[in-house]
Amino acid sequence: MLKEKLKKMSHGNMNLTLKVWRQKSGQHKGNFETHKVQASEHMSFLEMLDVLNEKLISERKTPVAFEHDCREGICGSCSMVINGQPHGPQRGTTTCQLHMRQFNDGDVIAIEPFRAAAFPVIKDLVVDRSAFDRIIQSGGYISVNTGQAVDGNSIPIEKDLSGQAFDAATCIGCGACVAACPNASAMLFTSAKVSHLNLLPQGKVEAAQRVLSMVNQMDEEGFGMCSNITACEAECPKEISVDNIARMNREYISATLGSNKTA
Amino acid sequence: MALKNNVPEGPLAEKWTNYRGSMPLVAPNNKRRLEVIVVGTGLAGASAAATMGELGYNVKCFTFHDSPRRAHSIAAQGGINAAKNYQNDGDSVWRLFYDTIKGGDYRSREANVHRLAEASVSIIDQAVAQGVPLAREYGGLLANRSFGGVQVSRTFYARGQTGQQLLIGAYQALSRQISKGSVTMYNRHEMLDLVKIDGKARGIIARNLLTGKLERHAAHCVVMATGGYGNVFYLSTNAMGSNVSAGWRTVKRGALFANPCYTQIHPTCIPVSGDYQSKLTLMSESLRNDGRVWVPAKVEDAKAIREGRKTALDIPEADRDYFLERRYPAFGNLVPRDVASRAAKVECDKGHGIVATGNGVFLDFAEAIERYGKSAAHSQGLHNPGKDIITKLGTAVVEEKYGNLFEMYEKISGENPYKFPMKIYPAVHYTMGGIWVDYHLETNIPGLFCLGEANFSDHGANRLGASALMQGLADGYFVIPYTIGTFLSKEIRTPKISRDAPEFAAAEADVHKRLQGFLDIQGNQSVESFHRRLGKIMWEYCGMARNAEGLKKAIKLIQDLRKEFYSDLFVPGKQDEFNPELEKAARVADFIELGELFAVDALNRNESCGGHFREEYATPEGEAMRVDDEFTYTSAWEWTDVNSEPILHKEELIFDNVELKTRSYK
Amino acid sequence: MNWFTKFLTSSIGRKLIMSLTGLFLIVFLLVHLIGNLQLLIPDGGEAFNLYAKFMTTNPVIKFTSYGLYAFILLHAVQGWLLWAKNRKARGGQGYAVQATRATGTNAGIAKRMGALGTIVFIFLVIHMGQFWFKMKMGDLPVQIYDGVEVNDLYAPVKAAFSNIGFVLFYVISMLFIGMHLMHGFQSSFQTLGLNHQKYTPFIKFLGNAYAVLIPLGFALIPIIFFVKNM
C-alpha cells in the first residue's frame, strides 16, 4: 500500500470529486455543485481550489468565492468546512496550511461555508464574521492612549503568566470555534480575548467591565450558549484551550456579583 | 519639480525634538471638525487611525479585508527592534540608527532613520501597556534576541508571532476608537482612486466589495498605509491580497514612486514545489541563530539528491560546503538578508542546488541539536550520554525554541525537519521602495501622507530584520500624529469637503470606466495567468541579480504582456456585485505598470546596493559594489503615460553624520 | 433590565442556573440512593417505610423537597430553552457531512444533553406517578410499627420490581441518567469556572465514578428484588 502511495506521489496526480456549496448571496438559496479536479499531493487545499477556479474561468463560469489571504495560517481569513470539519481533517491546521497529502486519490470532498446564524453567508463559502469585530469593540482592549505608557520593564510579568496570556492571544479570529460548535457559541473566541487581557496586570484595571461588556455583546450577536462539548478546542487551528471559557465564566460571575459594574 | 524633503535644521539628534517643540498645533475644538481618511489597517494604518482618533480627529478608516485584524502585518514572525539597551550590551539610539543606515547600504535619509531609532523605544512601552504579550525572562522582565546584521541583542519578540501580537494590539486600540465613534470603520472597501481638489488630496473613491458600489469619501487629508508591492513577483511571502493599487492610483494622480527596484529577497523560505504554487512561506530569520546553511560540495552529490537517489544524511561532513561560514567568517550564518540570499543563488547557479527545480539549499540543525543535547545532558548530570539521548534532549531544546516553525515546515513540505535538514531558498519578502515622502511623511501631493512599507523612507536599499514592525508602528503611533498637524493647522478654516464636488464625480466616472473596461475585454485568459507570467518575468530579470541586457528585455516583455492583458483578459461577472476576479484584475493591471517602472529604475541604477544587485557592478569576489559618486540619491519617478518614459527626480542623500563605507560582513 | 435579571438571562447566567440546579440534583441523587438502599434491609420493608414517612412529613425535608421540585422543573425548562436558543443560533442549514474529532470531553454525550435530559424527565414523570404520587395521595395499604400507622410504600415497590418490563425500564433509564451525569457533573464545574490544572483531573475522575456508581446503585436494587422473587 505504501508502495502504491509512493507511486501516486511521484505522478503527483490525485483525482478528486468536490461537492462545493454554491450560494449566490445571503438572499438566495444554496446547493451543492459537483466538480472533478486533478490535484497534486504537494498542493495546499486552497491551491487545489485555485485549480478548480482556473478551470471554471476557462469554461467562462463563475469561480467559487472563498476567503483567503496570508496562506500561512495566521490571518484567519479562510473559512470553510471540509468534510464536516472547519479547516479540514488535520488538527491544529488552517485550511491554507492543509495539504492535499492528507487526502487520497479518488476521495469525495464536501466543502461548505462556516454555518451559524451570526455568520450569514455572503457568497458561496464566504461568510460575514463582523460580529467578532463588534465583540472586540465592546471591550476587548486596554484603555490606554498612545504616549501614556510607562517603561516596558516597569511592569514585571511572570514568565508563565505571560505565556498563558500569549496562548490565549494566538487566536486568529477565524471563527472555526463557532462553526464547529453544535450551538454556534462564540465562547472560545470571546474567552480567549478576555483571558489574554484579564490575565495581565495591565488588563486587570478594567477586567470586570471588560468581561461584562464582551459577554453582553456576544449574546446580542446571536451566538449560542456553551454546553462544554469542547468541539471548539478540538477544531481550533491554534488549539486554544477551553480553560479560557472556565476563566471567563468565573470572571463573569464574580464581576456581576462582586463588583458595582453592569454590562 | 524640486523635491523638498523638509528635514528640519539642527544637529541630527535634536531634529525631531526641535520639530515637535516648534510645530504648529491644532486646538481640540478644531480637531473635531477636521476629517482624516486612513487607508489600510496594518501596523501603520491601524496605529495611525487609533492615535489620531484618540487625539480627537474625525477619522474614517478603510480596509479591503473583512476585518482590520487581517492585514498582512499579522504574518511577521521574528520580532521588533528597539534601542532599549535592556541587555546592557552597549546598544543606543545612535547604534540602531547606524546599523539601519549601514544595513540599508547608505541609501536612506539620515534624519528619518534617526527619528525611527528614537521612536523605537516608545513603541515597546506602548505595546506593553496595550497588553501585547512580549517574551519575558524568568524575572518577569522583557527578553531579547539577535537578528542578522547587528552585534547587539535588541529584538523584542512574541514567540514566532510578533507581528500578530503587535497588530492585535493596534487593532484593539483601533477597535476602542471605533466603539467611541471617533473612527468610522469601512471594512471590505477598496480604495480605487485619489481625489484631488485644488491640488490637495481631499478624498478617495472606494469600492464596496460586497455590493460593488463605488463610494465617494471626502476628508481634509488622506493617509495611506497600504503595504508593499512584493506581489509584483507573483510568488512572494506577501498575502494573496497584498497589492500596490492604492499607491499606484496616487502615482497616476501625480505622486512620485521612489526606488521601486529595492526589493528584499529573504534567504529562508520554503522552496517552490510546482507551477500551481500560489505563495511562498517564510521561515523566520531567527532560525539562522542555530541553523547552518550548506550545499553538497560536489555537483554530482547535489544531482543525486535532486533525483532522489541520495538524501542529505548520505553526504559526509567533508563533502558539505557551509558557504556562508566559508565566505563570511565574521557574521557566518547571520549575515544580512541580501548577502545570504545572493550567496545561495550563486551556489545553486553553479549546480549545487538540492531540490528538483535546482533552487534550494539546506538549513541544518543537526549540530545545534547535538550542542544543546550535550549541554542538557550535562546539566542533568549525565556523563558519557549516548547519541540517542543527546539527540533526544537536543531535539527538545530546539523544539522549545522553534517548535511552531518546525511544525509549519513539516505541514507544508511533508518532511520532518528534526531528522532531515530543512530545504530553503530565497523569496521576495519586502519592498523598501514605495511612495516618495518628505520628513513629514507627506508625498509631493499636499495632504496625501504615506506610512509603513507603502512609503520608501527608512530602509534604504535593504531592510534589517525586525525593522519593518518598528517602522510601521513608529510612523503610525509617533510620527504621523505630530506631522499631520503641520498640514492640518493650515486647514482649520476649510469647511467640510463636499462629495458633490466635480472632482469626485470625475474620479468616480474614471474608476467606473476602468473597471468596465476589464469586464468588456471578454478575452480568453484569466487574471491569475497574467499575474503568474508577470511574476516569472520579474523573477527572471529583476530578481536577485539583474543586468542591463536582462532589464531591457524585461521592459519589452512587460510591455507586450500589458498589451496582451488589455486585449485577451477574461473577467467573469459584473461590476455591481461581489466579484473577486474583478478586484484582482484591477490590481494586476497596476502591477504590470509598476513592474515596468521597476525595471526602468533598476536599469537606471548603475550600481549594486542592498537588495539591488547588478551583475556588472560586483567585486571580483562577487560582493555588491556601490557607485557613491553617481548614485547617492533617491530615485523618485513621476508617471507620465504608458507610452512615454517616466520622469526621474533625484533627492540627493546627504550624509553629515556617518561615513560611507563598503559594507563588509567578512 | 435590572442587572440581576440581565445576569440570569445572559448566556453565562443561564448556564449557571443549569449548573447550580444540576449540582443540587446530583447531591439529591446520593441522598435518594441512600434511602433506596434501605429496601435491601431484610425487615419486610419497615426501615424503608419509616424512612419514606420521615421524608414526607419532616418539615425541613418537606421544605427542601419543594425546592427540589422547583429545581427539577427549572433545570428542565431552562434546558429546553437553551436547546431552542442554540438551535436558533446554529441556523437553518446544517452541515452535509457530520464529522467529529476526539475532544477533551465525551462530546457525543455533551451534544445530546437535551435529548438525554428529556428522556430522564419522562422517566421522572413515570417514576413519580408510580411511587411519589401514591405516597402523597394516599391510596396505599397501611403498616403499623410500634403503634404508629405508616403508609406501606414497600408493597408497590416490591410489586413493581417483580415485573420484568418495569425492571428493564428502570435499568435502562438509569443508563440514561448515567450518561447525563457523565457530562453534567464535570460540566457544571466548568460552567462555574471551577477549573484548575491540579484539581480538574480529579473532578473529572470523580464525575465519571459518580456517573457510573450512582445509577448502578439505583439499578441494582430492582435487579436484586427481581432475582430474589424469581
Side-chain angles (χ1 to χ4, degrees):
Chain A
M1 209 180 115
L2 184 74
K3 226 176 183 176
E4 240 184 80
K5 198 160 181 187
L6 281 172
K7 205 173 146 195
K8 266 178 212 148
M9 258 177 79
S10 60
H11 285 226
N13 263 343
M14 300 167 81
N15 288 297
L16 303 166
T17 307
L18 305 180
K19 290 192 183 310
V20 189
W21 183 262
R22 302 302 301 264
Q23 187 170 348
K24 217 165 166 230
S25 79
Q27 280 75 51
H28 291 77
K29 270 185 90 80
N31 61 287
F32 281 98
E33 228 174 62
T34 307
H35 294 282
K36 301 261 181 212
V37 162
Q38 278 205 335
S40 140
E41 287 254 326
H42 302 291
M43 284 180 182
S44 72
F45 196 84
L46 295 184
E47 283 165 351
M48 184 275 293
L49 285 182
D50 290 343
V51 171
L52 169 67
N53 275 349
E54 283 290 289
K55 191 177 127 197
L56 288 172
I57 292 170
S58 74
E59 295 163 1
R60 304 186 101 73
K61 289 181 185 152
T62 312
V64 178
F66 62 91
E67 261 179 310
H68 63 104
D69 196 34
C70 77
R71 297 208 177 185
E72 49 185 284
I74 196 78
C75 75
S77 291
C78 37
S79 55
M80 56 185 88
V81 171
I82 301 163
N83 281 341
Q85 290 182 296
H87 295 299
Q90 198 178 7
R91 194 181 268 269
T93 305
T94 54
T95 301
C96 61
Q97 290 206 302
L98 178 68
H99 278 65
M100 296 313 292
R101 64 181 78 89
Q102 302 292 329
F103 296 87
N104 294 308
D105 188 26
D107 275 2
V108 179
I109 306 173
I111 310 170
E112 304 172 71
F114 282 2
R115 297 196 193 279
F119 285 174
V121 172
I122 290 170
K123 186 179 182 180
D124 298 343
L125 306 173
V126 178
V127 298
D128 178 2
R129 287 170 285 182
S130 53
F132 274 10
D133 280 337
R134 291 188 290 275
I135 293 175
I136 299 296
Q137 284 157 21
S138 71
Y141 46 75
I142 290 174
S143 299
V144 51
N145 283 356
T146 304
Q148 295 178 330
V150 295
D151 186 86
N153 260 353
S154 64
I155 316 166
I157 302 171
E158 198 223 343
K159 193 177 159 79
D160 279 353
L161 185 76
S162 173
Q164 263 182 303
F166 181 92
D167 287 340
T170 56
C171 169
I172 56 174
C174 66
C177 46
V178 174
C181 178
N183 307 341
S185 167
M187 289 284 277
L188 191 64
F189 169 80
T190 311
S191 68
K193 187 46 65 193
V194 166
S195 291
H196 161 213
L197 297 174
N198 286 17
L199 276 168
L200 295 170
Q202 305 95 299
K204 285 260 188 285
V205 182
E206 299 167 277
Q209 189 62 61
R210 176 177 303 117
V211 69
L212 291 173
S213 304
M214 288 181 74
V215 170
N216 184 50
Q217 186 64 37
M218 174 184 84
D219 290 352
E220 275 180 16
E221 296 292 345
F223 291 104
M225 336 255 155
C226 177
S227 301
N228 303 324
I229 296 163
T230 71
C232 52
E233 178 186 78
E235 299 296 343
C236 173
K238 298 292 147 186
E239 301 181 87
I240 290 172
S241 164
V242 291
D243 291 355
N244 293 304
I245 296 181
R247 183 178 296 108
M248 179 161 83
N249 290 337
R250 188 160 72 229
E251 300 233 348
Y252 183 79
I253 295 166
S254 75
T256 307
L257 303 176
S259 82
N260 57 5
K261 301 279 190 288
T262 50
Chain B
M1 186 189 328
L3 289 181
K4 268 190 72 186
N5 63 22
N6 291 317
V7 172
E9 294 301 316
L12 183 66
E14 291 166 27
K15 283 180 196 286
W16 181 231
T17 314
N18 292 344
Y19 175 85
R20 282 184 296 167
S22 59
M23 58 167 274
L25 296 174
V26 181
N29 59 327
N30 284 325
K31 282 195 181 118
R32 277 196 292 277
R33 295 193 308 103
L34 292 167
E35 291 182 297
V36 180
I37 283 175
V38 177
V39 186
T41 60
L43 285 173
S47 59
T51 306
M52 290 193 283
E54 289 162 7
L55 287 173
Y57 291 113
N58 230 313
V59 181
K60 294 182 198 177
C61 190
F62 294 80
T63 175
F64 66 80
H65 288 103
D66 71 318
S67 162
R69 67 181 297 154
R70 313 241 189 259
H72 198 52
S73 304
I74 201 132
Q77 298 172 354
I80 177 165
N81 288 330
K84 281 282 197 188
N85 193 30
Y86 281 160
Q87 303 307 320
N88 198 28
D89 56 2
D91 199 8
S92 64
V93 168
W94 170 263
R95 276 195 202 273
L96 175 52
F97 157 76
Y98 182 80
D99 287 344
T100 307
I101 290 275
K102 178 188 172 195
D105 221 353
Y106 306 95
R107 289 293 176 264
S108 36
R109 199 189 280 151
E110 274 191 345
N112 283 53
V113 177
H114 198 275
R115 176 177 67 189
L116 174 67
E118 290 173 59
S120 70
V121 178
S122 312
I123 295 170
I124 300 305
D125 301 338
Q126 181 62 26
V128 169
Q130 287 171 343
V132 174
L134 293 170
R136 300 271 164 174
E137 302 287 2
Y138 282 102
L141 303 181
L142 290 158
N144 289 113
R145 60 183 170 205
S146 298
F147 257 61
V150 298
Q151 289 166 319
V152 292
S153 201
R154 65 160 74 102
T155 304
F156 294 80
Y157 62 98
R159 290 190 208 154
Q161 285 144 271
T162 319
Q164 181 200 25
Q165 294 308 315
L166 290 169
L167 182 65
I168 296 293
Y171 161 70
Q172 287 171 188
L174 176 62
S175 296
R176 175 167 160 250
Q177 294 309 309
I178 295 169
S179 75
K180 287 183 163 186
S182 52
V183 175
T184 310
M185 189 66 223
Y186 295 87
N187 292 336
R188 297 191 194 265
H189 277 66
E190 182 168 19
M191 169 179 167
L192 289 179
D193 209 347
L194 175 76
V195 181
K196 279 188 346 185
I197 299 178
D198 299 332
K200 290 178 183 168
R202 295 299 197 189
I204 62 168
I205 302 298
R207 182 164 178 266
N208 178 332
L209 299 182
L210 288 183
T211 62
K213 213 175 144 296
L214 297 180
E215 296 174 4
R216 305 173 186 180
H217 294 275
H220 291 86
C221 64
V222 175
V223 179
M224 289 198 307
T226 48
Y229 51 89
N231 271 348
V232 68
F233 287 86
Y234 185 69
L235 285 181
S236 79
T237 65
N238 284 9
M240 303 302 286
S242 300
N243 67 81
V244 75
S245 286
W248 195 250
R249 292 291 109 199
T250 67
V251 168
K252 290 291 189 83
R253 296 280 175 195
L256 304 179
F257 205 104
N259 301 333
C261 77
Y262 290 165
T263 311
Q264 179 161 83
I265 316 272
H266 197 293
T268 51
C269 300
I270 300 177
V272 176
S273 63
D275 281 338
Y276 49 79
Q277 197 138 359
S278 59
K279 87 151 263 158
L280 297 171
T281 305
L282 176 79
M283 290 280 108
S284 170
E285 179 158 319
S286 58
L287 290 174
R288 283 196 279 142
N289 273 306
D290 282 312
R292 298 177 74 197
V293 180
W294 65 275
V295 288
K298 295 181 188 158
V299 173
E300 57 274 21
D301 279 345
K303 190 161 180 277
I305 292 174
R306 285 200 294 272
E307 289 166 0
R309 288 181 284 115
K310 278 186 180 178
T311 74
L313 306 184
D314 300 325
I315 311 298
E317 198 58 35
D319 289 341
R320 298 178 176 194
D321 177 16
Y322 296 91
F323 55 91
L324 288 179
E325 295 169 25
R326 169 170 57 81
R327 286 179 61 178
Y328 308 101
F331 280 68
N333 292 296
L334 270 178
V335 289
R337 292 172 178 178
D338 54 337
V339 177
S341 294
R342 264 196 309 277
K345 178 177 160 53
V346 168
E347 298 306 321
C348 292
D349 288 350
K350 286 193 296 190
H352 296 272
I354 47 79
V355 296
T357 59
N359 292 328
V361 301
F362 288 122
L363 179 64
D364 198 332
F365 293 86
E367 200 216 57
I369 289 174
E370 193 181 326
R371 176 161 41 89
Y372 287 126
K374 276 185 181 157
S375 157
H378 189 263
S379 62
Q380 289 181 13
L382 297 171
H383 304 293
N384 297 323
K387 198 163 169 17
D388 287 357
I389 293 177
I390 291 176
T391 307
K392 199 177 143 217
L393 293 173
T395 302
V397 177
V398 169
E399 192 179 342
E400 194 199 310
K401 290 181 94 151
Y402 310 112
N404 61 337
L405 295 168
F406 275 53
E407 209 177 288
M408 183 151 92
Y409 178 85
E410 189 167 358
K411 270 179 202 161
I412 293 169
S413 70
E415 271 189 1
N416 178 354
Y418 294 101
K419 277 203 174 131
F420 296 96
M422 284 185 183
K423 293 168 182 165
I424 54 154
Y425 197 66
V428 174
H429 177 57
Y430 185 90
T431 49
M432 282 72 69
I435 303 295
W436 183 87
V437 289
D438 67 6
Y439 188 73
H440 302 155
L441 303 182
E442 191 172 6
T443 67
N444 55 314
I445 298 175
L448 178 66
F449 295 80
C450 190
L451 321 180
E453 190 180 350
N455 75 27
F456 87 106
S457 74
D458 298 349
H459 306 295
N462 174 53
R463 179 176 65 75
L464 288 180
S467 288
L469 303 184
M470 172 171 69
Q471 188 219 338
L473 289 178
D475 286 1
Y477 283 134
F478 297 109
V479 180
I480 191 74
Y482 290 96
T483 59
I484 205 161
T486 303
F487 176 80
L488 287 176
S489 63
K490 291 175 285 186
E491 297 288 332
I492 52 175
R493 285 183 192 80
T494 311
K496 197 173 156 76
I497 308 294
S498 166
R499 291 183 301 174
D500 299 327
E503 289 86 348
F504 273 97
E508 189 185 317
D510 284 354
V511 173
H512 191 272
K513 197 175 139 209
R514 178 164 179 261
L515 294 180
Q516 198 54 44
F518 297 127
L519 291 162
D520 289 344
I521 299 168
Q522 290 292 317
N524 294 306
Q525 299 179 55
S526 68
V527 181
E528 203 72 14
S529 65
F530 280 107
H531 195 181
R532 203 173 275 142
R533 280 165 66 194
L534 172 68
K536 284 213 168 111
I537 299 170
M538 295 300 294
W539 184 245
E540 182 76 23
Y541 302 106
C542 311
M544 269 186 285
R546 305 147 181 186
N547 60 54
E549 196 193 338
L551 289 165
K552 282 178 194 152
K553 194 170 169 196
I555 293 169
K556 175 80 183 46
L557 287 171
I558 296 170
Q559 285 169 347
D560 292 348
L561 186 74
R562 189 183 67 231
K563 284 175 196 140
E564 202 180 324
F565 179 86
Y566 283 102
S567 60
D568 199 29
L569 175 72
F570 172 66
V571 181
K574 301 188 301 252
Q575 262 205 67
D576 56 350
E577 63 178 9
F578 180 56
N579 190 344
E581 283 297 307
L582 181 60
E583 295 164 26
K584 269 199 294 189
R587 294 171 192 164
V588 171
D590 290 337
F591 274 134
I592 293 176
E593 289 178 3
L594 168 81
E596 190 179 335
L597 182 69
F598 189 122
V600 168
D601 184 44
L603 187 61
N604 171 69
R605 191 163 282 277
N606 289 319
E607 65 164 348
S608 293
C609 59
H612 170 63
F613 187 78
R614 282 279 299 271
E615 284 163 349
E616 305 95 311
Y617 303 92
T619 63
E621 304 94 70
E623 303 299 334
M625 204 166 74
R626 286 197 324 263
V627 182
D628 289 337
D629 301 345
E630 278 181 69
F631 290 99
T632 310
Y633 66 77
T634 296
S635 311
W637 296 93
E638 182 185 346
W639 174 261
T640 50
D641 182 78
V642 279
N643 298 314
S644 53
E645 293 274 308
I647 301 165
L648 174 64
H649 300 274
K650 296 178 183 175
E651 182 199 342
E652 294 299 331
L653 296 169
I654 296 152
F655 292 93
D656 292 329
N657 299 276
V658 295
E659 186 195 342
L660 272 63
K661 288 186 195 158
T662 299
R663 267 195 323 161
S664 170
Y665 296 94
K666 282 188 188 290
Chain C
M1 221 186 305
N2 138 327
W3 70 270
F4 195 69
T5 22
K6 198 170 176 73
F7 172 53
L8 293 183
T9 53
S10 71
S11 57
I12 295 178
R14 285 176 192 278
K15 289 296 301 178
L16 182 77
I17 292 171
M18 290 307 280
S19 157
L20 291 177
T21 51
L23 280 173
F24 181 85
L25 298 176
I26 283 170
V27 174
F28 165 72
L29 279 182
L30 183 64
V31 176
H32 189 351
L33 178 62
I34 292 168
N36 283 16
L37 287 174
Q38 308 195 45
L39 283 167
L40 299 179
I41 300 172
D43 60 356
E46 183 177 345
F48 179 74
N49 282 337
L50 286 173
Y51 158 77
K53 183 179 167 72
F54 173 75
M55 294 300 277
T56 42
T57 51
N58 182 293
V60 177
I61 302 278
K62 259 180 124 168
F63 177 75
T64 316
S65 71
Y66 290 123
L68 172 69
Y69 309 145
F71 281 3
I72 291 175
L73 280 176
L74 189 56
H75 193 81
V77 172
Q78 185 72 272
W80 288 320
L81 270 175
L82 284 172
W83 177 80
K85 281 182 172 294
N86 287 338
R87 252 182 83 92
K88 194 171 158 232
R90 187 93 287 280
Q93 183 76 42
Y95 291 117
V97 180
Q98 299 287 337
T100 42
R101 200 195 295 285
T103 67
T105 75
N106 201 332
I109 293 176
K111 268 188 224 170
R112 295 176 180 84
M113 285 301 271
L116 287 169
T118 305
I119 293 171
V120 171
F121 189 80
I122 293 167
F123 162 76
L124 273 184
V125 171
I126 296 170
H127 173 66
M128 287 178 83
Q130 206 162 11
F131 301 125
W132 173 85
F133 190 76
K134 278 184 187 163
M135 186 70 187
K136 285 274 171 186
M137 299 304 155
D139 211 26
L140 280 175
V142 172
Q143 288 272 5
I144 298 171
Y145 304 118
D146 298 330
V148 184
E149 268 193 17
V150 175
N151 281 342
D152 187 9
L153 186 61
Y154 185 79
V157 169
K158 192 176 170 190
F161 287 178
S162 317
N163 177 334
I164 178 76
F166 182 74
V167 171
L168 279 177
F169 167 72
Y170 203 100
V171 170
I172 290 168
S173 296
M174 286 310 108
L175 209 67
F176 285 117
I177 289 188
M179 287 198 277
H180 198 72
L181 283 175
M182 187 79 81
H183 179 68
F185 193 102
Q186 62 172 53
S187 180
S188 58
F189 285 86
Q190 166 86 0
T191 299
L192 287 170
L194 299 176
N195 175 300
H196 193 278
Q197 226 178 335
K198 289 178 182 164
Y199 308 122
T200 298
F202 173 70
I203 290 172
K204 285 192 177 175
F205 172 77
L206 188 70
N208 289 341
Y210 201 91
V212 172
L213 294 178
I214 298 284
L216 187 69
F218 277 116
L220 276 176
I221 295 167
I223 292 171
I224 290 169
F225 264 73
F226 185 74
V227 172
K228 266 207 232 159
N229 291 335
M230 251 191 335

